[in-house]
Amino acid sequence: MPTRTTALPQSALTEITALFDDAVAQHRTSGVTWAIVGGHGDAQAVLAHGAAGHHELLDGSPAPGSSPLDRATVSRIASMTKSFTAATILALRDEGAVRLDDPVAQYVPEAADAFEVASDDPRITLRHLLTMGAGLVTDNPWGDRQEAMTPEQFADTLAGGLGHVHRPDTGFEYSNTGFALLGRVIDEVTGSDYAGEIRRRFLDPLGLEATGWSAEEIDTAHLATGHRLGDRADATRFEPVPLDAPGVYGAMAGLFSTVDDVATWMRFLAAADAPDAADRDQELLSTASRREMQQLKRHHPLRALPAGEDGHSPGFDRIRGYGFGLVVEQFPDLGDVISHSGGYPGYGSFMVWSRASGVGIVALANSKYAPAVPLSMQALRILQRESPALFTPAPTTAAPRTLEAADGALTWLRTADDAVADAWFADNMDLDTSRTERRRRLETALVATGLTKESVAALRVEDATVLSRAQLRWVLPGSGKGEASTPSLRIDLLMDPRREALIQSLDTTAVVPR
């Protein structure tokens, strides 16, 4: 598809910059780097970026010699790592090395007796782990401290058994241990290790040169020190948190990265929904598999949110669930949104993008459980408000057969020519509603709207709104002399499911504007 170089409104940049700067000034985080990520048609991965805070704080002030955070700053992305692990499992699936509905124990023998299941429960599969549907106990505080666990220690943990909170495949329960198990699957299937496999498959080919698993793999000169609030009752006293060594649990949260590298990864995943997805490079992971990652597999029940909490506007209902290593949400204002957060000792992170446009935000903060989620969601809404054109999806196009049928439908509405109806009406049409009754309904709608047959005669195929490849709608405002309550004429056309489709529905109604 054509690429564009997007100029962002200064008003949006000013407001978003202030949003992140204020979070540091108010001691909600010790520091943060952020970027606005370009959509499907943008030539650039990062449209704008910013940073606030310093690499290291002591007693609430920059440590001696500590430099300000910048675009090159490396931070831990924590559970955003899960999307890399999930993508690797899908790549192995696509190559025939694993099947998602195979039991985990088929690949990791030490998991054979690890799960607390009843005799009528299914065996825990890769799919259960990918979707957080295994019923394992939520383990964020504990799991965050297990990164350095060795495979031998993990085998001992599994031998001791894992608890559960619900039966497999009956609900959502976030599990870091489940993704540690997926990392072990990668180890066993490839004969390598998950870290090396993810690097070989994705980090190196995508040019994510600043991304890695340990201090040995990244440029520590740019590494942001992680922080937590100290033990004193002082909300400004951030203190450094030491790094852990990589191990089994790194598969759920172990990566370090920059906003530029994360932006590249986001664009790689978001390309699955680009209008030209089929023409994009399929070598690393097919766009079909990337799209599969971003479908809601496991519904996540939500509590009611007070106004403004979690970056959401008051009164907004939303749908939320888990795909494969990604969160899938739907908002009335933003539409479908794909994301994943990360919270880890010393760090907080979030990546989020609009499915329709690919436009997104990434924020990497260097303090534990920093408010990266609400800040990013607020930034995304600012961007949508100030630059709505960025979020405009590619228009849906009707199938050529639908457009040809639409011309026939308009001709029949104008002329009542039976030959046209015979050519374009599917066999259900006359059985459902007689042609005489269809004409009567059109006349009734014309009277209610104050329109005439000449008004219908002036309609063109291109005046229709395309609802799908097989569905069109025309709306013609009524002649109510400016009265807001005057009904409009609405014409709805729906084709049947055959490739050489005919019209299965053609309705004319008078509708009152809301």
Side-chain angles (χ1 to χ4, degrees):
M1 63 186 296
T3 57
R4 60 177 184 259
T5 300
T6 301
L8 299 175
Q10 187 58 48
S11 57
L13 294 178
T14 298
E15 192 171 352
I16 291 171
T17 300
L19 187 72
F20 287 100
D21 287 353
D22 289 348
V24 174
Q26 296 164 11
H27 309 293
R28 296 169 64 198
T29 179
S30 56
V32 61
T33 59
W34 57 269
I36 297 171
V37 181
H40 298 314
D42 283 305
Q44 298 171 295
V46 172
L47 303 181
H49 61 88
H54 282 71
H55 279 78
E56 185 174 350
L57 302 182
L58 288 175
D59 292 327
S61 300
S66 176
S67 58
L69 300 183
D70 57 23
R71 185 172 182 172
T73 296
V74 176
S75 189
R76 300 209 78 156
I77 69 171
S79 285
M80 288 158 56
T81 303
K82 289 180 173 70
S83 60
F84 289 86
T85 300
T88 303
I89 291 289
L90 287 187
L92 291 170
R93 186 277 312 271
D94 292 349
E95 293 164 6
V98 302
R99 294 186 302 178
L100 299 190
D101 292 316
D102 283 339
V104 179
Q106 179 174 323
Y107 304 103
V108 185
E110 58 263 37
D113 298 316
F115 303 107
E116 194 175 35
V117 292
S119 60
D120 63 339
D121 284 332
R123 291 179 294 176
I124 302 299
T125 66
L126 305 190
R127 189 183 303 275
H128 288 137
L129 301 182
L130 283 167
T131 62
M132 306 295 183
L136 300 176
V137 179
T138 293
D139 56 354
N140 276 333
W142 180 85
D144 285 351
R145 297 296 182 177
Q146 308 307 314
E147 183 185 357
M149 188 182 288
T150 67
E152 294 75 22
Q153 291 169 330
F154 191 52
D156 289 342
T157 299
L158 295 176
L162 301 173
H164 78 284
V165 292
H166 62 70
R167 305 182 82 169
D169 225 15
T170 64
F172 173 91
E173 196 75 19
Y174 192 84
S175 173
N176 293 305
T177 298
F179 268 76
L181 269 164
L182 290 171
R184 288 288 295 115
V185 171
I186 296 169
D187 295 344
E188 294 295 326
V189 170
T190 64
S192 175
D193 65 273
Y194 71 82
E197 194 67 15
I198 290 172
R199 173 167 292 285
R200 182 182 72 82
R201 287 181 178 274
F202 297 115
L203 304 188
D204 289 344
L206 289 172
L208 308 186
E209 297 178 355
T211 303
W213 300 94
S214 66
E216 288 71 33
E217 291 187 57
I218 60 173
D219 184 351
T220 53
H222 292 291
L223 177 62
T225 298
H227 297 84
R228 68 174 183 178
L229 284 174
D231 295 331
R232 294 190 324 208
D234 181 354
T236 69
R237 185 177 178 266
F238 287 102
E239 63 183 26
V241 176
L243 294 176
D244 210 342
V248 168
Y249 272 75
M252 66 88 176
L255 278 172
F256 297 76
S257 195
T258 63
V259 290
D260 280 277
D261 276 10
V262 174
T264 298
W265 178 243
M266 289 167 63
R267 298 243 296 178
F268 173 74
L269 296 175
D273 289 301
D276 63 343
D279 299 325
R280 301 224 177 183
D281 189 358
Q282 309 290 314
E283 184 177 354
L284 301 184
L285 184 66
S286 70
T287 49
S289 289
R290 282 176 263 171
R291 200 154 45 241
E292 189 178 1
M293 292 176 66
Q294 300 170 54
Q295 305 308 308
L296 193 152
K297 314 291 185 183
R298 185 72 54 189
H299 178 252
H300 183 188
L302 296 166
R303 63 183 176 86
L305 289 175
E309 186 176 335
D310 199 28
H312 306 308
S313 298
F316 275 2
D317 294 326
R318 69 198 194 282
I319 297 169
R320 189 173 196 261
Y322 211 75
F324 292 154
L326 291 168
V327 173
V328 182
E329 291 183 276
Q330 186 179 78
F331 297 94
D333 59 334
L334 293 171
D336 287 351
V337 167
I338 310 300
S339 70
H340 211 292
S341 62
Y344 214 53
Y347 300 90
S349 60
F350 192 53
M351 61 177 179
V352 58
W353 65 90
S354 156
R355 187 197 298 278
S357 66
V359 174
I361 304 287
V362 56
L364 305 179
N366 63 330
S367 62
K368 183 178 181 180
Y369 300 130
V373 173
L375 291 173
S376 298
M377 292 302 295
Q378 290 174 56
L380 195 63
R381 287 194 163 93
I382 291 168
L383 197 59
Q384 184 195 50
R385 185 191 71 220
E386 297 297 316
S387 187
L390 272 180
F391 291 80
T392 302
T396 301
T397 57
R401 180 77 174 177
T402 301
L403 298 176
E404 191 178 354
D407 186 61
L410 293 178
T411 298
W412 185 79
L413 290 173
R414 289 194 299 266
T415 66
D417 187 341
D418 281 336
V420 175
D422 291 343
W424 282 108
F425 283 11
D427 53 2
N428 69 288
M429 286 281 285
D430 291 338
L431 294 172
D432 294 340
T433 306
S434 70
R435 297 178 189 183
T436 300
E437 174 61 15
R438 291 184 189 279
R439 303 301 303 177
R440 188 195 68 78
R441 291 180 185 180
L442 174 59
E443 295 288 346
T444 300
L446 289 174
V447 170
T449 58
L451 298 172
T452 65
K453 292 181 180 179
E454 287 72 25
S455 303
V456 176
L459 283 177
R460 303 170 300 168
V461 172
E462 52 267 34
D463 295 329
T465 297
V466 179
L467 302 181
S468 77
R469 283 178 54 82
Q471 190 172 10
L472 302 179
R473 173 176 291 169
W474 294 263
V475 177
L476 192 59
S479 60
K481 299 180 181 179
E483 296 179 13
S485 61
T486 300
S488 297
L489 176 67
R490 192 175 78 190
I491 303 170
D492 286 293
L493 176 146
L494 177 64
M495 304 298 289
D496 72 36
R498 296 171 292 184
R499 183 171 297 178
E500 293 300 314
L502 297 175
I503 298 168
Q504 67 167 311
S505 178
L506 181 63
D507 297 322
T508 55
T509 52
V511 294
V512 178
R514 293 183 177 182

